[in-house]
Amino acid sequence: MTAPTPKRRLFVLLVWSPDLSMPLDPVGVLGLQAEAEDGRQWSPHVSWVPNRDGRAWPWRERLRTADPLTSELLEHWLDQDGTTHLIEEEHLPEAPSLSHLVEGYLDQVLVDLAIGGGR
């Protein structure tokens, strides 16, 4: 009998878009995997959109200081309004690891940006 796949969550990290006057510009993808059965602490994996390092600074700082990354902190970020925002993806594709999930999803974000669809 195999163990069930750990619980995962996936988010697109957004910052303020001067053109749209809303936080809609993607700067990265954050994946989380539950460290324990209760899902109160998460192991993160993040991948950044290239050439947006300066714009990603608010998210880089948030993630740097989030130690540990808890469900309560995550819910706080989801409830906030402001110049940074995150969108949770509800239907996660299958992936052998959290890093594969995040990197694959970032590829899709990059394709959307290249064709002008945004996220």
Side-chain angles (χ1 to χ4, degrees), residues 42-109:
W42 300 88
S43 295
H45 181 84
V46 65
S47 190
W48 303 102
V49 173
N51 301 322
R52 294 197 176 190
D53 273 349
R55 301 199 60 219
W57 178 84
W59 276 113
R60 286 181 182 275
E61 187 64 15
R62 274 186 175 183
L63 292 171
R64 185 186 67 78
T65 60
D67 188 26
L69 183 54
T70 63
S71 294
E72 292 81 13
L73 181 57
L74 188 60
E75 294 306 318
H76 174 70
W77 289 346
L78 285 166
D79 290 340
Q80 282 186 321
D81 287 328
T83 59
T84 59
H85 193 67
L86 69 164
I87 296 174
E88 185 165 10
E89 296 297 329
E90 294 182 16
H91 303 287
L92 301 184
E94 292 291 321
S97 69
L98 183 61
S99 63
H100 281 93
L101 175 65
V102 170
E103 299 302 329
Y105 205 83
L106 179 65
D107 287 346
Q108 185 59 51
V109 169

